[in-house]
Amino acid sequence: MTGLRWGILATGGIAGAFASDLRTAGLDLVAVGSRSQESADAFAARFDIPHAHASYEALVADPDVDIIYVSTPHPMHHENARLALEHGKHVLVEKAFTLNQAEAADLQALAAERGLLVTEAMWTRYLPHMVRIRELIAEGALGEIRTVSADHTQLLPTDPAHRLNALELGGGALLDLGIYPISFIWDILGAPTSIRAVGRLVETGADSEVATVMTHEGGAVSTSLSSSRGAGPNAASIVGTAARIDIDRVWYAPTTFRLVLADGTVAEEYVTDITGRGMQFEAIAAERLVAEGNLAGDILPIAESVAIMGALDEIRAQIGVRYPGEEDHRG
């Protein structure tokens, strides 16, 4: 542990989950910032946080804060993370990391210039079952990996004004849900060599369904499916020549998986047993990176987050989704 002192920027539902897990892990949560004193005070009282700030500017200026968790909606990530970096704070930014690759690359450059950590809060990567899966792959337990597939499908609000359906708020299934399987596939197979995407749009122009087929170095094929209008299995699989891994519902949260040999024998069954939701592991990893001076990251390097945002840009271009005021950043 580095003893980093955490501040939380914004007080929504995901911020509450993160704060709870910080407390579970015994990490040092010292401040919260909101757009109103009332909201900041209520959040601080709920989680026993000593400093409650009525603005994000006051939070990032707090000398008792070392690292800030940004939990605002996607379109605000770039502005909020930039504000924190400009004030000398390390930053953990909720996923999707930004609205597009250009914003992500700007944060990467600013953090490098200031000698600070900026990293994406893709909590799934840090969960114990995912750590074990990477160990099995490194050991060669699956043989040559041929395919990876994952879905993230939920029945979410259909109100056109809801954040999930509003383009001006970065709405759509891809950035809220699709980021999970896309990042997972990237973790297992690396960057895609080709991307094919199809999607379905709702009346606001936001995507409600997105499916991808991607190829990867060595010829492996991946598929992903995301939907905000129907609850699916939310399972994932990694298939190799010697064995496969079946990850149970909900694959991106603490769960179970099985290593199944080619003849159907279950060689290993992993059962996750943790306290809390599991968001503490990304926070612990961020503290470790700062302590090691590894500001580029390892389990999810910042360069990879930037590249993933580029892939999401390409997927959106293929399905016809562009956010208000956004330029075409694909070059």
XYZ file of all heavy atoms in Angstrom, residues 190-248:
397
model
N -5.652 -9.581 -27.537
C -4.933 -8.414 -28.017
C -5.761 -7.612 -29.003
O -6.942 -7.867 -29.231
N -5.108 -6.627 -29.607
C -5.803 -5.721 -30.516
C -6.352 -6.467 -31.720
O -5.719 -7.394 -32.235
C -4.855 -4.627 -30.976
N -7.533 -6.081 -32.189
C -8.070 -6.718 -33.390
C -7.308 -6.282 -34.634
O -6.807 -5.152 -34.714
C -9.519 -6.222 -33.429
C -9.500 -4.926 -32.697
C -8.456 -5.073 -31.629
N -7.241 -7.183 -35.616
C -6.664 -6.843 -36.917
C -7.755 -6.428 -37.891
O -7.470 -5.808 -38.921
C -5.879 -8.038 -37.484
O -6.724 -9.202 -37.499
C -4.662 -8.341 -36.616
N -8.996 -6.768 -37.581
C -10.130 -6.279 -38.365
C -11.358 -6.222 -37.468
O -11.472 -6.992 -36.514
C -10.407 -7.185 -39.572
O -10.936 -8.442 -39.164
N -12.264 -5.299 -37.780
C -13.487 -5.107 -37.001
C -14.666 -5.034 -37.964
O -14.633 -4.264 -38.930
C -13.447 -3.811 -36.170
C -12.276 -3.825 -35.174
C -14.767 -3.600 -35.431
C -12.080 -2.490 -34.454
N -15.704 -5.812 -37.687
C -16.973 -5.705 -38.400
C -18.057 -5.538 -37.351
O -18.131 -6.334 -36.402
C -17.237 -6.936 -39.255
C -16.241 -7.144 -40.376
C -16.368 -6.061 -41.448
N -15.425 -6.265 -42.552
C -14.206 -5.750 -42.595
N -13.792 -5.000 -41.574
N -13.411 -5.960 -43.617
N -18.883 -4.521 -37.510
C -19.906 -4.239 -36.503
C -21.251 -3.972 -37.172
O -21.319 -3.392 -38.263
C -19.503 -3.026 -35.663
N -22.300 -4.394 -36.506
C -23.658 -4.050 -36.899
C -24.385 -3.566 -35.653
O -24.012 -3.916 -34.532
C -24.423 -5.236 -37.527
C -23.793 -5.645 -38.840
C -24.468 -6.420 -36.559
N -25.410 -2.754 -35.846
C -26.113 -2.236 -34.691
C -27.541 -1.860 -35.009
O -27.957 -1.812 -36.172
N -28.275 -1.599 -33.978
C -29.658 -1.136 -34.079
C -29.773 0.137 -33.254
O -29.322 0.186 -32.105
C -30.598 -2.211 -33.536
C -32.082 -1.860 -33.636
C -32.905 -3.001 -33.069
N -34.339 -2.766 -33.242
C -35.279 -3.614 -32.820
N -34.936 -4.738 -32.212
N -36.551 -3.338 -33.011
N -30.377 1.161 -33.839
C -30.491 2.451 -33.180
C -31.924 2.696 -32.733
O -32.873 2.218 -33.354
C -30.044 3.578 -34.119
C -28.673 3.422 -34.793
C -28.326 4.681 -35.567
C -27.592 3.077 -33.791
N -32.067 3.460 -31.650
C -33.387 3.850 -31.168
C -33.720 5.233 -31.712
O -32.950 5.829 -32.454
C -33.449 3.812 -29.628
C -33.236 2.391 -29.136
C -32.414 4.753 -29.018
N -34.869 5.753 -31.315
C -35.368 6.999 -31.891
C -34.465 8.192 -31.627
O -34.465 9.173 -32.377
C -36.784 7.291 -31.372
C -36.882 7.502 -29.869
C -37.050 6.211 -29.075
O -36.789 5.108 -29.628
O -37.448 6.310 -27.895
N -33.648 8.127 -30.592
C -32.745 9.239 -30.279
C -31.465 9.200 -31.116
O -30.672 10.143 -31.070
C -32.346 9.195 -28.792
O -31.633 7.977 -28.540
C -33.574 9.285 -27.889
N -31.239 8.097 -31.820
C -30.008 7.921 -32.564
C -28.952 7.151 -31.804
O -27.880 6.858 -32.344
N -29.236 6.830 -30.547
C -28.311 6.015 -29.748
C -28.470 4.545 -30.115
O -29.523 4.112 -30.601
C -28.571 6.217 -28.262
N -27.432 3.776 -29.874
C -27.452 2.348 -30.185
C -28.069 1.559 -29.034
O -27.714 1.746 -27.878
C -26.048 1.836 -30.474
C -25.045 2.237 -29.393
O -24.715 3.436 -29.316
O -24.611 1.356 -28.627
N -28.991 0.662 -29.387
C -29.582 -0.223 -28.383
C -28.994 -1.630 -28.475
O -29.003 -2.369 -27.485
C -31.097 -0.292 -28.547
O -31.448 -0.701 -29.860
N -28.538 -2.017 -29.651
C -27.852 -3.291 -29.843
C -26.621 -3.090 -30.709
O -26.654 -2.321 -31.678
C -28.762 -4.338 -30.524
C -29.728 -5.042 -29.597
C -31.002 -4.254 -29.348
O -31.346 -3.409 -30.203
O -31.644 -4.459 -28.301
N -25.545 -3.768 -30.336
C -24.314 -3.748 -31.127
C -23.703 -5.146 -31.097
O -23.565 -5.738 -30.022
C -23.279 -2.748 -30.576
C -22.037 -2.735 -31.463
C -23.863 -1.354 -30.473
N -23.361 -5.655 -32.265
C -22.655 -6.937 -32.362
C -21.368 -6.723 -33.140
O -21.337 -5.945 -34.101
C -23.518 -7.982 -33.049
N -20.308 -7.383 -32.711
C -19.031 -7.282 -33.415
C -18.475 -8.660 -33.739
O -18.695 -9.627 -32.993
C -17.968 -6.536 -32.583
O -17.633 -7.304 -31.419
C -18.457 -5.148 -32.166
N -17.786 -8.728 -34.853
C -16.936 -9.870 -35.195
C -15.566 -9.299 -35.500
O -15.428 -8.423 -36.367
C -17.477 -10.645 -36.409
C -16.524 -11.789 -36.770
C -18.868 -11.194 -36.141
N -14.575 -9.764 -34.763
C -13.225 -9.239 -34.939
C -12.254 -10.394 -35.152
O -12.444 -11.494 -34.629
C -12.798 -8.416 -33.719
C -13.702 -7.233 -33.440
S -13.113 -6.087 -32.147
C -13.316 -7.115 -30.669
N -11.199 -10.133 -35.929
C -10.100 -11.077 -36.062
C -8.895 -10.510 -35.320
O -8.786 -9.293 -35.111
C -9.730 -11.317 -37.528
O -9.409 -10.056 -38.147
C -10.894 -11.964 -38.279
N -7.995 -11.417 -34.942
C -6.854 -11.023 -34.125
C -5.598 -11.699 -34.644
O -5.666 -12.618 -35.472
C -7.106 -11.407 -32.661
C -8.354 -10.790 -32.100
N -8.340 -9.651 -31.336
C -9.664 -11.150 -32.219
C -9.581 -9.330 -31.000
N -10.402 -10.224 -31.517
N -4.461 -11.236 -34.157
C -3.185 -11.794 -34.606
C -3.183 -13.313 -34.461
O -3.599 -13.847 -33.424
C -2.036 -11.189 -33.790
C -0.658 -11.601 -34.268
C 0.465 -10.920 -33.501
O 0.172 -10.029 -32.685
O 1.633 -11.300 -33.713
N -2.727 -14.003 -35.485
C -2.721 -15.458 -35.458
C -4.004 -16.059 -36.005
O -4.108 -17.278 -36.142
N -5.000 -15.221 -36.291
C -6.224 -15.716 -36.908
C -7.386 -15.970 -35.970
O -8.469 -16.362 -36.418
N -7.204 -15.777 -34.674
C -8.308 -16.001 -33.738
C -9.470 -15.068 -34.066
O -9.281 -13.954 -34.556
C -7.845 -15.790 -32.305
N -10.679 -15.535 -33.763
C -11.902 -14.789 -34.049
C -12.637 -14.523 -32.739
O -12.712 -15.390 -31.861
C -12.814 -15.574 -35.005
C -14.139 -14.847 -35.213
C -12.119 -15.800 -36.340
N -13.189 -13.312 -32.617
C -13.974 -12.980 -31.428
C -15.335 -12.438 -31.837
O -15.492 -11.865 -32.922
C -13.254 -11.935 -30.569
O -13.194 -10.688 -31.242
N -16.305 -12.629 -30.948
C -17.634 -12.070 -31.157
C -18.110 -11.431 -29.860
O -17.808 -11.915 -28.761
C -18.662 -13.140 -31.578
O -18.763 -14.135 -30.553
C -18.250 -13.801 -32.878
N -18.846 -10.341 -30.006
C -19.450 -9.703 -28.838
C -20.859 -9.251 -29.185
O -21.164 -8.966 -30.347
C -18.628 -8.492 -28.366
O -18.827 -7.365 -29.211
N -21.708 -9.196 -28.171
C -23.079 -8.724 -28.332
C -23.448 -7.884 -27.125
O -23.240 -8.310 -25.988
C -24.050 -9.893 -28.460
C -25.541 -9.539 -28.504
C -25.858 -8.718 -29.744
C -26.398 -10.798 -28.447
N -23.971 -6.706 -27.393
C -24.423 -5.830 -26.312
C -25.833 -5.346 -26.626
O -26.158 -5.085 -27.786
C -23.496 -4.620 -26.162
O -22.165 -5.039 -25.950
N -26.658 -5.247 -25.592
C -28.017 -4.749 -25.765
C -28.484 -4.077 -24.489
O -28.207 -4.562 -23.390
C -28.983 -5.891 -26.115
O -30.319 -5.421 -26.162
N -29.203 -2.959 -24.657
C -29.805 -2.282 -23.515
C -31.312 -2.519 -23.451
O -31.986 -1.956 -22.604
C -29.541 -0.774 -23.617
O -30.100 -0.249 -24.808
N -31.831 -3.356 -24.344
C -33.276 -3.562 -24.423
C -33.693 -5.000 -24.166
O -34.840 -5.369 -24.415
C -33.780 -3.104 -25.807
C -33.570 -1.611 -26.086
C -34.385 -0.738 -25.149
N -34.104 0.688 -25.275
C -34.794 1.547 -26.014
N -35.810 1.109 -26.742
N -34.472 2.814 -26.029
N -32.800 -5.829 -23.646
C -33.157 -7.205 -23.336
C -32.078 -7.869 -22.501
O -30.884 -7.681 -22.759
N -32.496 -8.616 -21.486
C -31.547 -9.281 -20.588
C -31.189 -10.658 -21.137
O -32.041 -11.528 -21.261
C -32.147 -9.417 -19.193
N -29.926 -10.826 -21.475
C -29.439 -12.091 -22.009
C -28.655 -12.880 -20.984
O -28.705 -12.588 -19.782
N -27.903 -13.890 -21.443
C -27.185 -14.761 -20.503
C -26.029 -14.083 -19.785
O -25.653 -14.490 -18.689
C -26.685 -15.912 -21.394
C -26.648 -15.333 -22.774
C -27.788 -14.356 -22.835
N -25.416 -13.071 -20.403
C -24.254 -12.406 -19.795
C -23.191 -13.415 -19.380
O -22.737 -13.441 -18.229
C -24.680 -11.533 -18.615
C -25.410 -10.276 -19.066
O -24.904 -9.530 -19.896
N -26.603 -10.062 -18.556
N -22.828 -14.246 -20.342
C -21.803 -15.261 -20.146
C -20.680 -15.037 -21.152
O -20.820 -14.257 -22.098
C -22.401 -16.652 -20.320
N -19.564 -15.711 -20.937
C -18.424 -15.558 -21.841
C -17.692 -16.889 -21.946
O -17.754 -17.726 -21.032
C -17.474 -14.471 -21.338
N -16.989 -17.070 -23.054
C -16.207 -18.297 -23.231
C -14.928 -18.002 -23.996
O -14.875 -17.082 -24.820
C -17.019 -19.364 -23.977
O -17.292 -18.943 -25.304
N -13.910 -18.787 -23.682
C -12.625 -18.748 -24.370
C -12.357 -20.169 -24.827
O -12.273 -21.088 -23.995
C -11.497 -18.273 -23.439
C -11.864 -16.953 -22.757
C -10.188 -18.140 -24.203
C -10.937 -16.585 -21.602
N -12.237 -20.382 -26.111
C -12.122 -21.738 -26.647
C -10.753 -21.931 -27.277
O -10.348 -21.169 -28.174
C -13.224 -22.018 -27.690
C -13.073 -23.434 -28.261
C -14.604 -21.833 -27.071
N -10.044 -22.943 -26.799
C -8.742 -23.286 -27.341
C -8.724 -24.697 -27.875
O -9.706 -25.441 -27.769
N -7.595 -25.106 -28.439
C -7.474 -26.434 -29.025
C -7.411 -27.535 -27.970
O -7.766 -28.682 -28.241
C -6.209 -26.510 -29.896
O -5.081 -26.059 -29.116
C -6.346 -25.623 -31.122
N -6.981 -27.200 -26.747
C -6.859 -28.208 -25.696
C -7.994 -28.139 -24.680
O -8.325 -29.156 -24.050
C -5.523 -28.053 -24.970
N -8.594 -26.971 -24.518
C -9.632 -26.797 -23.496
C -10.348 -25.480 -23.734
O -9.941 -24.672 -24.580
C -9.009 -26.818 -22.096
N -11.405 -25.285 -22.986
C -12.121 -24.014 -23.030
C -12.386 -23.551 -21.610
O -12.351 -24.347 -20.658
C -13.432 -24.137 -23.803
C -14.534 -24.879 -23.060
C -15.846 -24.881 -23.845
N -16.957 -25.395 -23.043
C -17.314 -26.667 -22.960
N -16.636 -27.587 -23.632
N -18.339 -27.022 -22.197
N -12.668 -22.262 -21.475
C -13.102 -21.696 -20.204
C -14.504 -21.147 -20.391
O -14.747 -20.335 -21.292
C -12.149 -20.580 -19.728
C -10.799 -21.182 -19.317
C -12.758 -19.808 -18.569
C -9.749 -20.145 -18.959
N -15.435 -21.616 -19.575
C -16.802 -21.113 -19.569
C -16.980 -20.242 -18.327
O -16.875 -20.740 -17.200
C -17.814 -22.262 -19.518
C -17.800 -23.119 -20.771
O -17.469 -22.582 -21.847
O -18.115 -24.325 -20.675
N -17.240 -18.951 -18.534
C -17.435 -18.034 -17.422
C -18.931 -17.816 -17.241
O -19.640 -17.466 -18.176
C -16.745 -16.678 -17.656
C -15.312 -16.875 -18.168
C -16.736 -15.865 -16.364
C -14.609 -15.572 -18.512
N -19.396 -18.029 -16.021
C -20.828 -18.006 -15.750
C -21.361 -16.584 -15.630
O -20.621 -15.613 -15.508
C -21.122 -18.774 -14.455
C -20.797 -20.262 -14.592
O -21.026 -20.812 -15.678
O -20.287 -20.848 -13.613
